């Protein structure tokens, strides 16, 4: 067995997401050699979650039982052991957590963590350490009042964005904390530590309170996104005595400890296995997709679409997206923008105009030129956040900017794709994202017709990569990164650590003739969008 601190040749990545707890094991050649997942609804039915959460009757509050995450870790570790994962070869581990959610611990939590008894599962030991049993999570939108109060205290949405990287958002942890402080002051007083989901999972492995990493701490509205330190004004506006309850922020590539003896004794981990700071799922995905250089942008085409990438400069906006600290470059940043209308909206248009068939969709698409003869459409099936157009509907405009009721089917299919990608290009650029190449992921990234329009609208090549568990894999890559930095005793660029990883494959090249068309179209799109947003 390897016992030297950080000895071993494998890297473990965890992902505590909304619905599942996953683990992947990665070797030095970047191959995923094993993976395992525990689905909360199925494996732990006693918690009666749906999709891993409890939606409360007010329609706004959404929580998950904190002890469920602990119970899932027991199951995950047992499954890894049953499948004989070579845990004694793990040199370093890290993890990813759904962002923004908070875990509230009472004083005794720290001694319970330090004295974990390897004869018993974690669940029975941690049952009574929470002051808030139902953790608020990222789907919660019950804190409008607290958001307004934070923005008032700091001088408006733009001021909050400038300081923390995002305007005040309901799901961001400051506003959740302010709500608990206001509505349950006793609970707040009894809380010794408020962790994020990521740092809580790290604490379970370290056997002590874990520091927060700068990338995940960026999703709280509490950290100065430039200095990566707590912002005193935001702390004061949120709740009294908060800094002590939050602990330290460390760079995301920092080794924060070694695994508690519990894991060596009970599951055969190498006792010297390093624990690197855990981070949020979006920062971990950035690492998993290896977007290390400004200009590397990922577009995830899922139920909602997400655009994210690395940035050198920090230019937060109150009207769109988020700036986070970069998880692999302590001097850099990352931008993240969510678009609610993603695959479901594309499928809606396919069903309406293309006979419910992607083949027909692609055939229709080929009948129209880039730029759609000047037609522009906004397809808002679900209330949209980027741009904020809350009233569902289809807003179609002809080449002269006049609202029209219908488009022919071949124009309709092009309009939905061009509209979505123009929105991404416009709002991404507002945050400083200027792609030089795009990595497309998510369900719709297997569709060549969709990727061709993406490539033309942005004017850059589009790549695809098989990376189904990008957050968990990203956590494992970050563990490797932290391990290399520790070994060499200095910061080593992530790109250097990942240099020999297999390249992604190219799926589409832009048509140079489309450049001009889309540049002009982007201006018209922005004007029409402004009109729609102002009219709301
Ligand atoms: C990001 C966000 C979600 C969560 C859960 O701001 O709220 O992506 O991280 O995945």
């Amino acid at each position: 067995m390897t016992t030297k601190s950080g000895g071993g040749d494998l890297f473990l990545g965890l992902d505590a997401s909304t619905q599942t707890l996953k683990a992947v094991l990665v070797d030095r050649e970047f191959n995923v050699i094993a993976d395992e997942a525990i689905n909360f609804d199925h494996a732990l039915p006693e918690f009666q979650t749906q999709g891993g959460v409890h939606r409360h009757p007010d329609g706004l509050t959404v929580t998950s039982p904190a002890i469920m995450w602990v119970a899932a870790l027991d199951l995950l570790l047992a499954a890894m052991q049953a499948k004989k994962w070579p845990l004694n070869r793990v040199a370093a581990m890290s993890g990813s957590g759904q962002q923004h959610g908070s875990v509230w611990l009472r004083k005794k939590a720290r001694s319970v963590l330090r004295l974990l008894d390897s004869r018993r599962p974690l669940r029975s030991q941690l049952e009574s350490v929470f002051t808030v049993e139902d953790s608020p999570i990222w789907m919660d939108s019950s804190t409008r009042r607290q958001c307004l109060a934070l923005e008032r205290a700091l001088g408006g949405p733009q001021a909050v964005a400038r300081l923390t990287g995002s305007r005040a958002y309901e799901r961001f942890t400051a506003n959740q904390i302010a709500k608990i402080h206001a509505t349950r002051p006793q609970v707040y007083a009894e809380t010794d530590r408020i962790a994020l989901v990521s740092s809580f999972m790290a604490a379970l492995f370290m056997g002590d309170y874990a520091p927060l990493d700068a990338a995940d701490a960026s999703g709280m509205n509490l950290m100065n996104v430039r200095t990566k330190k707590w912002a005193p004004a935001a702390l004061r506006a949120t709740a009294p005595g908060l800094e002590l309850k939050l602990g330290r922020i460390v760079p995301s590539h920092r080794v924060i400890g070694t695994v508690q003896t519990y894991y060596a004794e009970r599951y055969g981990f190498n006792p010297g296995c390093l624990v690197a700071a855990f981070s949020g799922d979006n920062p971990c995905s950035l690492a998993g997709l290896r977007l290390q250089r400004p200009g590397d942008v990922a577009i995830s085409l899922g139920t909602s679409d997400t655009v994210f990438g690395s940035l050198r400069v920090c230019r937060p906006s109150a009207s769109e997206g988020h700036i986070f600290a970069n998880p692999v470059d302590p001097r850099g940043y990352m931008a993240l923008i969510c678009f609610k209308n993603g695959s479901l909206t594309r499928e809606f248009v396919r069903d309406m105009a293309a006979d419910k068939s992607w083949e027909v969709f692609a055939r229709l698409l080929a009948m129209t030129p880039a730029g759609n003869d000047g037609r522009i459409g906004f397809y808002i099936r679900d209330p949209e956040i980027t741009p904020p157009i809350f009233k569902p509907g289809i807003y179609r405009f002809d080449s002269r900017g006049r609202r029209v009721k219908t488009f022919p089917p071949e124009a309709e299919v092009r309009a939905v794709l061009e509209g979505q990608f123009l929105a991404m290009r416009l709002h991404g650029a507002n945050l400083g994202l200027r792609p030089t190449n795009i990595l497309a992921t998510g369900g719709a990234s297997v569709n060549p017709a969709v990727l061709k329009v993406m490539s033309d609208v942005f004017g850059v090549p589009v790549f695809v990569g098989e990376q189904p568990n990008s957050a968990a894999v990203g956590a494992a890559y970050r563990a490797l990164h932290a391990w290399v930095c520790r070994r060499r005793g200095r910061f080593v660029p992530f790109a250097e650590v990942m240099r020999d990883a297999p390249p992604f494959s190219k799926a589409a090249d832009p048509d140079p003739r489309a450049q001009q068309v889309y540049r002009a179209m982007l201006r018209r799109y922005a004007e029409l969008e402004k009109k729609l947003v102002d009219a709301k």
Side-chain angles (χ1 to χ4, degrees):
M1 190 202 273
T2 328
T3 50
K4 198 169 140 239
S5 181
D9 56 351
L10 300 177
F11 298 87
L12 177 65
L14 240 70
D15 178 25
S17 77
T18 315
Q19 310 197 16
T20 54
L21 180 67
K22 296 186 199 120
V24 298
L25 203 52
V26 169
D27 67 15
R28 286 304 304 269
E29 278 73 53
F30 312 98
N31 303 305
V32 174
I33 59 165
D35 63 284
E36 189 60 55
I38 303 296
N39 177 287
F40 303 136
D41 295 359
H42 299 145
L44 294 160
E46 64 272 35
F47 292 106
Q48 300 190 332
T49 53
Q50 279 181 347
V53 309
H54 293 144
R55 290 171 194 271
H56 294 235
D58 65 1
L60 300 171
T61 307
V62 184
T63 59
S64 292
I67 192 71
M68 177 179 78
W69 296 323
V70 179
L73 182 56
D74 282 329
L75 298 181
L76 183 72
L77 289 162
M80 284 156 47
Q81 190 178 41
K83 294 192 176 162
K84 301 206 168 22
W85 283 30
L87 295 171
N88 60 328
R89 285 173 49 199
V90 177
M93 65 164 306
S94 184
S96 153
Q98 52 168 303
Q99 293 200 256
H100 320 297
S102 46
V103 181
W104 296 63
L105 300 166
R106 67 176 80 251
K107 209 175 200 115
K108 78 172 195 191
R110 193 162 206 178
S111 49
V112 170
L113 287 166
R114 284 178 170 165
L115 300 171
L116 288 174
D117 174 356
S118 60
R119 287 162 307 184
R120 294 161 58 205
L122 295 166
R123 180 178 185 168
S124 63
Q125 303 185 61
L126 282 137
E127 217 123 37
S128 59
V129 304
F130 304 103
T131 53
V132 174
E133 294 191 346
D134 294 304
S135 284
I137 66 148
W138 66 279
M139 293 162 80
D140 186 284
S141 54
S142 67
T143 63
R144 188 72 220 128
R145 176 195 294 230
Q146 287 75 23
C147 289
L148 292 173
L150 182 64
E151 293 186 340
R152 254 195 322 273
L154 297 187
Q158 190 59 46
V160 179
R162 238 186 345 259
L163 181 65
T164 72
S166 306
R167 71 163 163 81
Y169 281 91
E170 283 84 346
R171 66 191 193 286
F172 275 46
T173 325
N175 311 304
Q176 297 294 339
I177 293 172
K179 178 183 158 192
I180 290 182
H181 172 252
T183 54
R184 297 149 81 183
Q186 192 54 33
V187 161
Y188 182 80
E190 284 165 14
T191 302
D192 190 45
R193 176 56 52 117
I194 304 171
L196 291 176
V197 176
S198 59
S199 66
F200 173 63
M201 298 309 285
L204 294 177
F205 279 95
M206 272 176 69
D208 199 352
Y209 289 160
L212 285 84
D213 86 298
D216 208 14
S218 312
M220 301 174 83
N221 279 145
L222 287 173
M223 188 188 82
N224 179 324
V225 70
R226 289 185 177 80
T227 62
K228 281 108 180 163
K229 296 199 163 48
W230 297 121
L235 293 173
R236 271 197 306 277
T238 301
L242 185 53
E243 186 166 357
L244 273 180
K245 295 186 200 282
L246 294 173
R248 279 182 314 133
I249 304 171
V250 297
S252 310
H253 67 280
R254 180 66 58 79
V255 170
I256 55 173
T258 49
V259 291
Q260 235 271 18
T261 48
Y262 179 89
Y263 298 89
E265 289 172 8
R266 191 175 167 92
Y267 295 107
F269 273 73
N270 166 5
C273 172
L274 301 178
V275 180
F278 282 33
S279 189
D281 56 351
N282 294 297
C284 285
S285 287
L286 180 123
L289 299 172
R290 299 183 255 133
L291 306 179
Q292 59 262 40
R293 292 182 198 85
D296 292 346
V297 168
I299 297 184
S300 159
L301 299 169
T303 309
S304 12
D305 291 340
T306 313
V307 178
F308 58 99
S310 287
L311 294 172
R312 197 156 287 138
V313 290
C314 175
R315 221 175 45 200
S317 151
S319 50
E320 63 244 306
H322 313 289
I323 301 287
F324 297 153
N326 190 296
V328 293
D329 174 3
R331 287 192 309 202
Y333 301 92
M334 69 174 279
L336 171 81
I337 315 181
C338 285
F339 299 82
K340 284 266 163 181
N341 286 275
S343 285
L344 297 180
T345 302
R346 286 184 287 274
E347 284 159 22
F348 170 75
V349 174
R350 176 201 63 191
D351 294 352
M352 173 176 71
D355 226 1
K356 303 191 175 171
S357 145
W358 283 120
E359 274 96 67
V360 178
F361 190 100
R363 264 205 309 277
L364 289 169
L365 197 61
M367 291 163 62
T368 44
N372 216 359
D373 296 318
R375 297 182 183 97
I376 291 180
F378 296 79
Y379 294 77
I380 314 293
R381 203 174 154 273
D382 289 312
E384 184 52 75
I385 48 172
T386 321
I389 302 176
F390 303 116
K391 200 162 151 230
I394 303 179
Y395 306 89
R396 301 178 182 89
F397 298 90
D398 68 10
S399 60
R400 294 163 70 183
R402 287 175 308 203
R403 184 100 191 256
V404 293
K405 280 220 160 59
T406 55
F407 282 158
E410 65 276 16
E412 194 94 272
V413 299
R414 180 168 287 280
V416 66
L417 296 183
E418 289 185 343
Q420 291 185 333
F421 296 139
L422 285 166
M424 292 178 191
R425 183 169 160 182
L426 175 71
H427 296 284
N430 289 347
L431 278 179
L433 283 180
R434 297 187 194 286
T436 49
N437 56 78
I438 293 173
L439 185 65
T441 69
S445 67
V446 297
N447 191 324
V450 172
L451 299 186
K452 176 69 181 123
V453 178
M454 181 190 282
S455 176
D456 283 344
V457 170
F458 281 91
V460 300
V462 171
F463 294 79
V464 286
E466 248 323 292
Q467 199 60 281
N469 295 318
S470 62
V473 172
Y477 288 171
R478 291 199 314 98
L480 167 65
H481 184 214
W483 179 81
V484 172
C485 294
R486 165 62 71 100
R487 291 228 138 178
R488 302 214 196 139
R490 64 175 172 88
F491 178 77
V492 180
F494 185 64
E496 198 178 314
V497 174
M498 301 305 296
R499 197 178 41 214
D500 297 328
F504 294 109
S505 46
K506 197 187 272 184
D509 258 325
D511 179 348
R513 285 166 308 181
Q515 287 304 295
Q516 208 74 341
V517 175
Y518 286 118
R519 213 171 300 130
M521 196 170 181
L522 193 65
R523 273 196 300 276
R524 285 188 54 231
Y525 178 89
E527 283 162 21
L528 289 170
E529 185 193 278
K530 184 166 184 323
K531 277 195 196 142
L532 278 178
V533 172
D534 291 346
K536 75 178 177 200

